Amino acid sequence: VQLQASGGGLVQPGGSLTLSCAVSGNIFSINRMDWYRQAPGNERELVAHSSVGGSTNYADSVKGRFTISRDDVKNTVYLIMNSLKPGDTAVYFCNAEVGLFDNNWYDYWGQGTLVTVSS
């Protein structure tokens, strides 16, 4: 199972960026799909959460600016980021709880994609 994150880059304050994370491999199902971020010197923090039923949750710092969405046909989760601030600069990681054909659930991480917000 692999999680391939993409879409990071350099953006000016107030700009927008969309991250993608595709899950591949011999999987049975995907439960939650989340985005985390880690800024230099800080711990990794949960940014946005998406459950299989469609419910979502966001960190207070990104509410109203970020949107998490998922395509369960493509096994892909997106993070749409608007009104970006320098404080959003971090490496962003996707995380998913994946069900395999051994009837167990496993936690997987993507490799991280760097988002830099700077003028």
Side-chain angles (χ1 to χ4, degrees), residues 25-64:
N26 192 24
I27 65 175
F28 176 73
S29 182
I30 301 174
N31 192 6
R32 58 169 178 73
M33 301 180 84
D34 303 329
W35 284 98
Y36 287 74
R37 68 185 180 187
Q38 187 168 17
N42 290 356
E43 294 187 353
R44 192 172 297 188
E45 63 172 349
L46 178 63
V47 175
H49 162 79
S50 172
S51 73
V52 67
S55 65
T56 58
N57 286 298
Y58 299 91
D60 288 343
S61 59
V62 306
K63 280 181 182 176

PDB file of all heavy atoms in Angstrom, residues 25-64:
ATOM      1  N   GLY A  25      -2.621   0.173  -4.190  1.00  0.00           N
ATOM      2  CA  GLY A  25      -2.282  -1.129  -3.633  1.00  0.00           C
ATOM      3  C   GLY A  25      -3.496  -2.033  -3.590  1.00  0.00           C
ATOM      4  O   GLY A  25      -4.595  -1.659  -3.993  1.00  0.00           O
ATOM      5  N   ASN A  26      -3.299  -3.213  -3.071  1.00  0.00           N
ATOM      6  CA  ASN A  26      -4.357  -4.219  -3.013  1.00  0.00           C
ATOM      7  C   ASN A  26      -5.184  -4.026  -1.739  1.00  0.00           C
ATOM      8  O   ASN A  26      -4.999  -4.716  -0.745  1.00  0.00           O
ATOM      9  CB  ASN A  26      -3.743  -5.623  -3.033  1.00  0.00           C
ATOM     10  CG  ASN A  26      -4.786  -6.693  -3.274  1.00  0.00           C
ATOM     11  OD1 ASN A  26      -5.835  -6.435  -3.841  1.00  0.00           O
ATOM     12  ND2 ASN A  26      -4.496  -7.907  -2.829  1.00  0.00           N
ATOM     13  N   ILE A  27      -6.079  -3.061  -1.778  1.00  0.00           N
ATOM     14  CA  ILE A  27      -6.827  -2.682  -0.599  1.00  0.00           C
ATOM     15  C   ILE A  27      -8.287  -3.077  -0.729  1.00  0.00           C
ATOM     16  O   ILE A  27      -8.813  -3.214  -1.841  1.00  0.00           O
ATOM     17  CB  ILE A  27      -6.723  -1.168  -0.327  1.00  0.00           C
ATOM     18  CG1 ILE A  27      -7.383  -0.368  -1.454  1.00  0.00           C
ATOM     19  CG2 ILE A  27      -5.261  -0.752  -0.186  1.00  0.00           C
ATOM     20  CD1 ILE A  27      -7.419   1.130  -1.175  1.00  0.00           C
ATOM     21  N   PHE A  28      -8.925  -3.269   0.414  1.00  0.00           N
ATOM     22  CA  PHE A  28     -10.344  -3.614   0.447  1.00  0.00           C
ATOM     23  C   PHE A  28     -11.201  -2.371   0.625  1.00  0.00           C
ATOM     24  O   PHE A  28     -12.235  -2.207  -0.036  1.00  0.00           O
ATOM     25  CB  PHE A  28     -10.613  -4.595   1.578  1.00  0.00           C
ATOM     26  CG  PHE A  28     -12.063  -4.941   1.746  1.00  0.00           C
ATOM     27  CD1 PHE A  28     -12.711  -5.766   0.849  1.00  0.00           C
ATOM     28  CD2 PHE A  28     -12.801  -4.419   2.808  1.00  0.00           C
ATOM     29  CE1 PHE A  28     -14.052  -6.076   0.989  1.00  0.00           C
ATOM     30  CE2 PHE A  28     -14.150  -4.730   2.967  1.00  0.00           C
ATOM     31  CZ  PHE A  28     -14.767  -5.566   2.053  1.00  0.00           C
ATOM     32  N   SER A  29     -10.769  -1.482   1.528  1.00  0.00           N
ATOM     33  CA  SER A  29     -11.564  -0.302   1.827  1.00  0.00           C
ATOM     34  C   SER A  29     -10.679   0.744   2.489  1.00  0.00           C
ATOM     35  O   SER A  29      -9.579   0.442   2.956  1.00  0.00           O
ATOM     36  CB  SER A  29     -12.719  -0.667   2.750  1.00  0.00           C
ATOM     37  OG  SER A  29     -13.528   0.459   3.025  1.00  0.00           O
ATOM     38  N   ILE A  30     -11.169   1.974   2.506  1.00  0.00           N
ATOM     39  CA  ILE A  30     -10.490   3.051   3.211  1.00  0.00           C
ATOM     40  C   ILE A  30     -11.474   3.672   4.187  1.00  0.00           C
ATOM     41  O   ILE A  30     -12.591   4.020   3.794  1.00  0.00           O
ATOM     42  CB  ILE A  30      -9.962   4.133   2.249  1.00  0.00           C
ATOM     43  CG1 ILE A  30      -8.985   3.523   1.243  1.00  0.00           C
ATOM     44  CG2 ILE A  30      -9.268   5.248   3.031  1.00  0.00           C
ATOM     45  CD1 ILE A  30      -8.524   4.502   0.170  1.00  0.00           C
ATOM     46  N   ASN A  31     -11.067   3.823   5.428  1.00  0.00           N
ATOM     47  CA  ASN A  31     -11.933   4.432   6.426  1.00  0.00           C
ATOM     48  C   ASN A  31     -11.649   5.939   6.459  1.00  0.00           C
ATOM     49  O   ASN A  31     -12.049   6.665   5.561  1.00  0.00           O
ATOM     50  CB  ASN A  31     -11.700   3.781   7.789  1.00  0.00           C
ATOM     51  CG  ASN A  31     -12.769   4.183   8.792  1.00  0.00           C
ATOM     52  OD1 ASN A  31     -13.752   4.863   8.443  1.00  0.00           O
ATOM     53  ND2 ASN A  31     -12.598   3.776  10.030  1.00  0.00           N
ATOM     54  N   ARG A  32     -10.954   6.418   7.425  1.00  0.00           N
ATOM     55  CA  ARG A  32     -10.679   7.843   7.495  1.00  0.00           C
ATOM     56  C   ARG A  32      -9.503   8.211   6.589  1.00  0.00           C
ATOM     57  O   ARG A  32      -8.630   7.392   6.308  1.00  0.00           O
ATOM     58  CB  ARG A  32     -10.361   8.266   8.928  1.00  0.00           C
ATOM     59  CG  ARG A  32      -9.199   7.522   9.498  1.00  0.00           C
ATOM     60  CD  ARG A  32      -8.731   8.121  10.815  1.00  0.00           C
ATOM     61  NE  ARG A  32      -7.642   7.327  11.338  1.00  0.00           N
ATOM     62  CZ  ARG A  32      -6.426   7.338  10.837  1.00  0.00           C
ATOM     63  NH1 ARG A  32      -6.136   8.114   9.807  1.00  0.00           N
ATOM     64  NH2 ARG A  32      -5.481   6.584  11.364  1.00  0.00           N
ATOM     65  N   MET A  33      -9.531   9.452   6.105  1.00  0.00           N
ATOM     66  CA  MET A  33      -8.432  10.023   5.327  1.00  0.00           C
ATOM     67  C   MET A  33      -8.189  11.410   5.893  1.00  0.00           C
ATOM     68  O   MET A  33      -9.110  12.232   5.963  1.00  0.00           O
ATOM     69  CB  MET A  33      -8.760  10.097   3.842  1.00  0.00           C
ATOM     70  CG  MET A  33      -9.084   8.740   3.226  1.00  0.00           C
ATOM     71  SD  MET A  33      -9.481   8.843   1.465  1.00  0.00           S
ATOM     72  CE  MET A  33      -7.835   8.826   0.743  1.00  0.00           C
ATOM     73  N   ASP A  34      -6.978  11.675   6.320  1.00  0.00           N
ATOM     74  CA  ASP A  34      -6.648  12.907   7.042  1.00  0.00           C
ATOM     75  C   ASP A  34      -5.447  13.605   6.425  1.00  0.00           C
ATOM     76  O   ASP A  34      -4.637  12.987   5.736  1.00  0.00           O
ATOM     77  CB  ASP A  34      -6.305  12.597   8.506  1.00  0.00           C
ATOM     78  CG  ASP A  34      -7.407  11.878   9.242  1.00  0.00           C
ATOM     79  OD1 ASP A  34      -8.589  12.102   8.902  1.00  0.00           O
ATOM     80  OD2 ASP A  34      -7.098  11.094  10.157  1.00  0.00           O
ATOM     81  N   TRP A  35      -5.358  14.891   6.720  1.00  0.00           N
ATOM     82  CA  TRP A  35      -4.164  15.663   6.390  1.00  0.00           C
ATOM     83  C   TRP A  35      -3.555  16.198   7.688  1.00  0.00           C
ATOM     84  O   TRP A  35      -4.276  16.753   8.526  1.00  0.00           O
ATOM     85  CB  TRP A  35      -4.484  16.828   5.468  1.00  0.00           C
ATOM     86  CG  TRP A  35      -4.726  16.431   4.064  1.00  0.00           C
ATOM     87  CD1 TRP A  35      -5.932  16.225   3.454  1.00  0.00           C
ATOM     88  CD2 TRP A  35      -3.736  16.189   3.053  1.00  0.00           C
ATOM     89  NE1 TRP A  35      -5.748  15.873   2.147  1.00  0.00           N
ATOM     90  CE2 TRP A  35      -4.411  15.842   1.869  1.00  0.00           C
ATOM     91  CE3 TRP A  35      -2.344  16.242   3.047  1.00  0.00           C
ATOM     92  CZ2 TRP A  35      -3.740  15.543   0.678  1.00  0.00           C
ATOM     93  CZ3 TRP A  35      -1.665  15.951   1.874  1.00  0.00           C
ATOM     94  CH2 TRP A  35      -2.360  15.605   0.702  1.00  0.00           C
ATOM     95  N   TYR A  36      -2.255  16.050   7.813  1.00  0.00           N
ATOM     96  CA  TYR A  36      -1.477  16.599   8.911  1.00  0.00           C
ATOM     97  C   TYR A  36      -0.441  17.558   8.331  1.00  0.00           C
ATOM     98  O   TYR A  36      -0.165  17.548   7.133  1.00  0.00           O
ATOM     99  CB  TYR A  36      -0.730  15.491   9.667  1.00  0.00           C
ATOM    100  CG  TYR A  36      -1.572  14.614  10.538  1.00  0.00           C
ATOM    101  CD1 TYR A  36      -2.418  13.645  10.001  1.00  0.00           C
ATOM    102  CD2 TYR A  36      -1.516  14.728  11.930  1.00  0.00           C
ATOM    103  CE1 TYR A  36      -3.188  12.828  10.814  1.00  0.00           C
ATOM    104  CE2 TYR A  36      -2.289  13.919  12.759  1.00  0.00           C
ATOM    105  CZ  TYR A  36      -3.103  12.968  12.189  1.00  0.00           C
ATOM    106  OH  TYR A  36      -3.859  12.161  13.006  1.00  0.00           O
ATOM    107  N   ARG A  37       0.147  18.353   9.205  1.00  0.00           N
ATOM    108  CA  ARG A  37       1.263  19.186   8.775  1.00  0.00           C
ATOM    109  C   ARG A  37       2.271  19.306   9.908  1.00  0.00           C
ATOM    110  O   ARG A  37       1.924  19.157  11.082  1.00  0.00           O
ATOM    111  CB  ARG A  37       0.810  20.570   8.326  1.00  0.00           C
ATOM    112  CG  ARG A  37       0.267  21.457   9.422  1.00  0.00           C
ATOM    113  CD  ARG A  37      -0.261  22.768   8.829  1.00  0.00           C
ATOM    114  NE  ARG A  37      -0.793  23.659   9.853  1.00  0.00           N
ATOM    115  CZ  ARG A  37      -1.430  24.787   9.586  1.00  0.00           C
ATOM    116  NH1 ARG A  37      -1.623  25.162   8.313  1.00  0.00           N
ATOM    117  NH2 ARG A  37      -1.871  25.559  10.560  1.00  0.00           N
ATOM    118  N   GLN A  38       3.502  19.570   9.523  1.00  0.00           N
ATOM    119  CA  GLN A  38       4.567  19.748  10.508  1.00  0.00           C
ATOM    120  C   GLN A  38       5.465  20.884  10.054  1.00  0.00           C
ATOM    121  O   GLN A  38       6.114  20.794   9.002  1.00  0.00           O
ATOM    122  CB  GLN A  38       5.373  18.461  10.675  1.00  0.00           C
ATOM    123  CG  GLN A  38       6.391  18.528  11.798  1.00  0.00           C
ATOM    124  CD  GLN A  38       6.966  17.173  12.148  1.00  0.00           C
ATOM    125  OE1 GLN A  38       6.869  16.219  11.384  1.00  0.00           O
ATOM    126  NE2 GLN A  38       7.555  17.057  13.326  1.00  0.00           N
ATOM    127  N   ALA A  39       5.477  21.940  10.840  1.00  0.00           N
ATOM    128  CA  ALA A  39       6.341  23.082  10.573  1.00  0.00           C
ATOM    129  C   ALA A  39       7.676  22.872  11.292  1.00  0.00           C
ATOM    130  O   ALA A  39       7.740  22.122  12.279  1.00  0.00           O
ATOM    131  CB  ALA A  39       5.680  24.372  11.043  1.00  0.00           C
ATOM    132  N   PRO A  40       8.728  23.507  10.831  1.00  0.00           N
ATOM    133  CA  PRO A  40      10.047  23.335  11.483  1.00  0.00           C
ATOM    134  C   PRO A  40       9.981  23.649  12.968  1.00  0.00           C
ATOM    135  O   PRO A  40       9.459  24.693  13.375  1.00  0.00           O
ATOM    136  CB  PRO A  40      10.926  24.344  10.737  1.00  0.00           C
ATOM    137  CG  PRO A  40      10.293  24.498   9.416  1.00  0.00           C
ATOM    138  CD  PRO A  40       8.812  24.376   9.656  1.00  0.00           C
ATOM    139  N   GLY A  41      10.483  22.734  13.771  1.00  0.00           N
ATOM    140  CA  GLY A  41      10.511  22.931  15.209  1.00  0.00           C
ATOM    141  C   GLY A  41       9.219  22.618  15.922  1.00  0.00           C
ATOM    142  O   GLY A  41       9.142  22.731  17.146  1.00  0.00           O
ATOM    143  N   ASN A  42       8.199  22.259  15.153  1.00  0.00           N
ATOM    144  CA  ASN A  42       6.894  21.966  15.755  1.00  0.00           C
ATOM    145  C   ASN A  42       6.554  20.496  15.628  1.00  0.00           C
ATOM    146  O   ASN A  42       7.125  19.774  14.811  1.00  0.00           O
ATOM    147  CB  ASN A  42       5.798  22.797  15.068  1.00  0.00           C
ATOM    148  CG  ASN A  42       5.897  24.266  15.390  1.00  0.00           C
ATOM    149  OD1 ASN A  42       6.738  24.698  16.179  1.00  0.00           O
ATOM    150  ND2 ASN A  42       5.027  25.047  14.766  1.00  0.00           N
ATOM    151  N   GLU A  43       5.586  20.068  16.432  1.00  0.00           N
ATOM    152  CA  GLU A  43       5.097  18.707  16.314  1.00  0.00           C
ATOM    153  C   GLU A  43       4.104  18.616  15.149  1.00  0.00           C
ATOM    154  O   GLU A  43       3.522  19.616  14.725  1.00  0.00           O
ATOM    155  CB  GLU A  43       4.411  18.283  17.613  1.00  0.00           C
ATOM    156  CG  GLU A  43       5.368  18.184  18.786  1.00  0.00           C
ATOM    157  CD  GLU A  43       4.705  17.587  20.025  1.00  0.00           C
ATOM    158  OE1 GLU A  43       3.480  17.378  20.001  1.00  0.00           O
ATOM    159  OE2 GLU A  43       5.412  17.344  21.008  1.00  0.00           O
ATOM    160  N   ARG A  44       3.934  17.406  14.670  1.00  0.00           N
ATOM    161  CA  ARG A  44       2.955  17.171  13.614  1.00  0.00           C
ATOM    162  C   ARG A  44       1.550  17.392  14.178  1.00  0.00           C
ATOM    163  O   ARG A  44       1.234  16.918  15.273  1.00  0.00           O
ATOM    164  CB  ARG A  44       3.094  15.755  13.065  1.00  0.00           C
ATOM    165  CG  ARG A  44       2.340  15.483  11.786  1.00  0.00           C
ATOM    166  CD  ARG A  44       2.698  14.135  11.216  1.00  0.00           C
ATOM    167  NE  ARG A  44       4.118  14.062  10.838  1.00  0.00           N
ATOM    168  CZ  ARG A  44       4.657  13.041  10.171  1.00  0.00           C
ATOM    169  NH1 ARG A  44       3.893  12.022   9.800  1.00  0.00           N
ATOM    170  NH2 ARG A  44       5.939  13.047   9.877  1.00  0.00           N
ATOM    171  N   GLU A  45       0.724  18.111  13.434  1.00  0.00           N
ATOM    172  CA  GLU A  45      -0.620  18.407  13.907  1.00  0.00           C
ATOM    173  C   GLU A  45      -1.654  18.018  12.854  1.00  0.00           C
ATOM    174  O   GLU A  45      -1.398  18.090  11.652  1.00  0.00           O
ATOM    175  CB  GLU A  45      -0.759  19.900  14.231  1.00  0.00           C
ATOM    176  CG  GLU A  45      -0.570  20.831  13.045  1.00  0.00           C
ATOM    177  CD  GLU A  45      -0.914  22.283  13.362  1.00  0.00           C
ATOM    178  OE1 GLU A  45      -1.493  22.565  14.430  1.00  0.00           O
ATOM    179  OE2 GLU A  45      -0.609  23.149  12.511  1.00  0.00           O
ATOM    180  N   LEU A  46      -2.836  17.630  13.345  1.00  0.00           N
ATOM    181  CA  LEU A  46      -3.935  17.292  12.459  1.00  0.00           C
ATOM    182  C   LEU A  46      -4.535  18.576  11.892  1.00  0.00           C
ATOM    183  O   LEU A  46      -4.896  19.479  12.639  1.00  0.00           O
ATOM    184  CB  LEU A  46      -4.993  16.502  13.211  1.00  0.00           C
ATOM    185  CG  LEU A  46      -6.241  16.113  12.437  1.00  0.00           C
ATOM    186  CD1 LEU A  46      -5.902  15.177  11.288  1.00  0.00           C
ATOM    187  CD2 LEU A  46      -7.274  15.474  13.361  1.00  0.00           C
ATOM    188  N   VAL A  47      -4.652  18.629  10.582  1.00  0.00           N
ATOM    189  CA  VAL A  47      -5.213  19.795   9.904  1.00  0.00           C
ATOM    190  C   VAL A  47      -6.669  19.567   9.534  1.00  0.00           C
ATOM    191  O   VAL A  47      -7.530  20.414   9.774  1.00  0.00           O
ATOM    192  CB  VAL A  47      -4.396  20.135   8.644  1.00  0.00           C
ATOM    193  CG1 VAL A  47      -5.048  21.278   7.876  1.00  0.00           C
ATOM    194  CG2 VAL A  47      -2.964  20.484   9.010  1.00  0.00           C
ATOM    195  N   ALA A  48      -6.940  18.403   8.928  1.00  0.00           N
ATOM    196  CA  ALA A  48      -8.294  18.122   8.462  1.00  0.00           C
ATOM    197  C   ALA A  48      -8.536  16.626   8.469  1.00  0.00           C
ATOM    198  O   ALA A  48      -7.636  15.835   8.176  1.00  0.00           O
ATOM    199  CB  ALA A  48      -8.497  18.678   7.055  1.00  0.00           C
ATOM    200  N   HIS A  49      -9.776  16.276   8.799  1.00  0.00           N
ATOM    201  CA  HIS A  49     -10.163  14.869   8.900  1.00  0.00           C
ATOM    202  C   HIS A  49     -11.388  14.609   8.037  1.00  0.00           C
ATOM    203  O   HIS A  49     -12.310  15.429   7.991  1.00  0.00           O
ATOM    204  CB  HIS A  49     -10.477  14.538  10.360  1.00  0.00           C
ATOM    205  CG  HIS A  49     -11.288  13.291  10.543  1.00  0.00           C
ATOM    206  ND1 HIS A  49     -10.729  12.038  10.490  1.00  0.00           N
ATOM    207  CD2 HIS A  49     -12.614  13.111  10.763  1.00  0.00           C
ATOM    208  CE1 HIS A  49     -11.683  11.138  10.678  1.00  0.00           C
ATOM    209  NE2 HIS A  49     -12.837  11.768  10.857  1.00  0.00           N
ATOM    210  N   SER A  50     -11.398  13.448   7.377  1.00  0.00           N
ATOM    211  CA  SER A  50     -12.549  13.045   6.575  1.00  0.00           C
ATOM    212  C   SER A  50     -12.882  11.593   6.870  1.00  0.00           C
ATOM    213  O   SER A  50     -12.024  10.720   6.750  1.00  0.00           O
ATOM    214  CB  SER A  50     -12.229  13.208   5.090  1.00  0.00           C
ATOM    215  OG  SER A  50     -13.269  12.656   4.302  1.00  0.00           O
ATOM    216  N   SER A  51     -14.118  11.336   7.271  1.00  0.00           N
ATOM    217  CA  SER A  51     -14.539   9.970   7.524  1.00  0.00           C
ATOM    218  C   SER A  51     -15.205   9.386   6.288  1.00  0.00           C
ATOM    219  O   SER A  51     -15.612  10.105   5.376  1.00  0.00           O
ATOM    220  CB  SER A  51     -15.506   9.927   8.704  1.00  0.00           C
ATOM    221  OG  SER A  51     -16.759  10.451   8.308  1.00  0.00           O
ATOM    222  N   VAL A  52     -15.356   8.078   6.275  1.00  0.00           N
ATOM    223  CA  VAL A  52     -15.961   7.408   5.133  1.00  0.00           C
ATOM    224  C   VAL A  52     -17.422   7.823   4.971  1.00  0.00           C
ATOM    225  O   VAL A  52     -17.960   7.794   3.882  1.00  0.00           O
ATOM    226  CB  VAL A  52     -15.821   5.877   5.257  1.00  0.00           C
ATOM    227  CG1 VAL A  52     -16.661   5.360   6.421  1.00  0.00           C
ATOM    228  CG2 VAL A  52     -16.194   5.184   3.967  1.00  0.00           C
ATOM    229  N   GLY A  53     -18.049   8.217   6.046  1.00  0.00           N
ATOM    230  CA  GLY A  53     -19.434   8.654   5.967  1.00  0.00           C
ATOM    231  C   GLY A  53     -19.607  10.073   5.468  1.00  0.00           C
ATOM    232  O   GLY A  53     -20.746  10.521   5.260  1.00  0.00           O
ATOM    233  N   GLY A  54     -18.500  10.782   5.291  1.00  0.00           N
ATOM    234  CA  GLY A  54     -18.573  12.134   4.754  1.00  0.00           C
ATOM    235  C   GLY A  54     -18.409  13.245   5.764  1.00  0.00           C
ATOM    236  O   GLY A  54     -18.331  14.411   5.389  1.00  0.00           O
ATOM    237  N   SER A  55     -18.319  12.915   7.046  1.00  0.00           N
ATOM    238  CA  SER A  55     -18.128  13.983   8.033  1.00  0.00           C
ATOM    239  C   SER A  55     -16.690  14.485   7.986  1.00  0.00           C
ATOM    240  O   SER A  55     -15.773  13.739   7.655  1.00  0.00           O
ATOM    241  CB  SER A  55     -18.466  13.487   9.431  1.00  0.00           C
ATOM    242  OG  SER A  55     -17.563  12.483   9.832  1.00  0.00           O
ATOM    243  N   THR A  56     -16.528  15.748   8.313  1.00  0.00           N
ATOM    244  CA  THR A  56     -15.213  16.373   8.285  1.00  0.00           C
ATOM    245  C   THR A  56     -14.987  17.188   9.552  1.00  0.00           C
ATOM    246  O   THR A  56     -15.941  17.658  10.181  1.00  0.00           O
ATOM    247  CB  THR A  56     -15.055  17.296   7.073  1.00  0.00           C
ATOM    248  OG1 THR A  56     -16.084  18.299   7.105  1.00  0.00           O
ATOM    249  CG2 THR A  56     -15.162  16.515   5.766  1.00  0.00           C
ATOM    250  N   ASN A  57     -13.722  17.355   9.898  1.00  0.00           N
ATOM    251  CA  ASN A  57     -13.326  18.206  11.017  1.00  0.00           C
ATOM    252  C   ASN A  57     -12.052  18.935  10.634  1.00  0.00           C
ATOM    253  O   ASN A  57     -11.231  18.404   9.870  1.00  0.00           O
ATOM    254  CB  ASN A  57     -13.077  17.383  12.286  1.00  0.00           C
ATOM    255  CG  ASN A  57     -14.358  16.910  12.920  1.00  0.00           C
ATOM    256  OD1 ASN A  57     -15.197  17.700  13.339  1.00  0.00           O
ATOM    257  ND2 ASN A  57     -14.524  15.599  12.990  1.00  0.00           N
ATOM    258  N   TYR A  58     -11.877  20.119  11.207  1.00  0.00           N
ATOM    259  CA  TYR A  58     -10.731  20.947  10.872  1.00  0.00           C
ATOM    260  C   TYR A  58     -10.090  21.523  12.122  1.00  0.00           C
ATOM    261  O   TYR A  58     -10.775  21.779  13.117  1.00  0.00           O
ATOM    262  CB  TYR A  58     -11.147  22.111   9.963  1.00  0.00           C
ATOM    263  CG  TYR A  58     -11.730  21.673   8.647  1.00  0.00           C
ATOM    264  CD1 TYR A  58     -13.091  21.473   8.500  1.00  0.00           C
ATOM    265  CD2 TYR A  58     -10.909  21.463   7.547  1.00  0.00           C
ATOM    266  CE1 TYR A  58     -13.629  21.060   7.303  1.00  0.00           C
ATOM    267  CE2 TYR A  58     -11.434  21.056   6.327  1.00  0.00           C
ATOM    268  CZ  TYR A  58     -12.799  20.856   6.222  1.00  0.00           C
ATOM    269  OH  TYR A  58     -13.321  20.449   5.017  1.00  0.00           O
ATOM    270  N   ALA A  59      -8.791  21.762  12.026  1.00  0.00           N
ATOM    271  CA  ALA A  59      -8.122  22.517  13.075  1.00  0.00           C
ATOM    272  C   ALA A  59      -8.670  23.942  13.063  1.00  0.00           C
ATOM    273  O   ALA A  59      -9.016  24.477  11.999  1.00  0.00           O
ATOM    274  CB  ALA A  59      -6.617  22.541  12.827  1.00  0.00           C
ATOM    275  N   ASP A  60      -8.759  24.540  14.227  1.00  0.00           N
ATOM    276  CA  ASP A  60      -9.306  25.898  14.320  1.00  0.00           C
ATOM    277  C   ASP A  60      -8.544  26.870  13.427  1.00  0.00           C
ATOM    278  O   ASP A  60      -9.116  27.808  12.863  1.00  0.00           O
ATOM    279  CB  ASP A  60      -9.266  26.384  15.765  1.00  0.00           C
ATOM    280  CG  ASP A  60     -10.293  25.690  16.641  1.00  0.00           C
ATOM    281  OD1 ASP A  60     -11.241  25.090  16.094  1.00  0.00           O
ATOM    282  OD2 ASP A  60     -10.141  25.744  17.876  1.00  0.00           O
ATOM    283  N   SER A  61      -7.258  26.643  13.297  1.00  0.00           N
ATOM    284  CA  SER A  61      -6.416  27.575  12.552  1.00  0.00           C
ATOM    285  C   SER A  61      -6.706  27.591  11.049  1.00  0.00           C
ATOM    286  O   SER A  61      -6.301  28.527  10.357  1.00  0.00           O
ATOM    287  CB  SER A  61      -4.937  27.240  12.774  1.00  0.00           C
ATOM    288  OG  SER A  61      -4.660  25.910  12.350  1.00  0.00           O
ATOM    289  N   VAL A  62      -7.407  26.570  10.552  1.00  0.00           N
ATOM    290  CA  VAL A  62      -7.656  26.504   9.102  1.00  0.00           C
ATOM    291  C   VAL A  62      -9.143  26.530   8.759  1.00  0.00           C
ATOM    292  O   VAL A  62      -9.501  26.543   7.572  1.00  0.00           O
ATOM    293  CB  VAL A  62      -7.006  25.252   8.471  1.00  0.00           C
ATOM    294  CG1 VAL A  62      -5.524  25.189   8.809  1.00  0.00           C
ATOM    295  CG2 VAL A  62      -7.720  23.977   8.894  1.00  0.00           C
ATOM    296  N   LYS A  63     -10.004  26.550   9.761  1.00  0.00           N
ATOM    297  CA  LYS A  63     -11.444  26.557   9.490  1.00  0.00           C
ATOM    298  C   LYS A  63     -11.831  27.755   8.643  1.00  0.00           C
ATOM    299  O   LYS A  63     -11.399  28.879   8.880  1.00  0.00           O
ATOM    300  CB  LYS A  63     -12.212  26.588  10.814  1.00  0.00           C
ATOM    301  CG  LYS A  63     -12.334  25.255  11.503  1.00  0.00           C
ATOM    302  CD  LYS A  63     -13.140  25.367  12.798  1.00  0.00           C
ATOM    303  CE  LYS A  63     -13.218  24.028  13.513  1.00  0.00           C
ATOM    304  NZ  LYS A  63     -13.918  24.139  14.808  1.00  0.00           N
ATOM    305  N   GLY A  64     -12.653  27.494   7.639  1.00  0.00           N
ATOM    306  CA  GLY A  64     -13.093  28.559   6.745  1.00  0.00           C
ATOM    307  C   GLY A  64     -12.134  28.831   5.602  1.00  0.00           C
ATOM    308  O   GLY A  64     -12.480  29.555   4.669  1.00  0.00           O
TER     309      GLY A  64
END
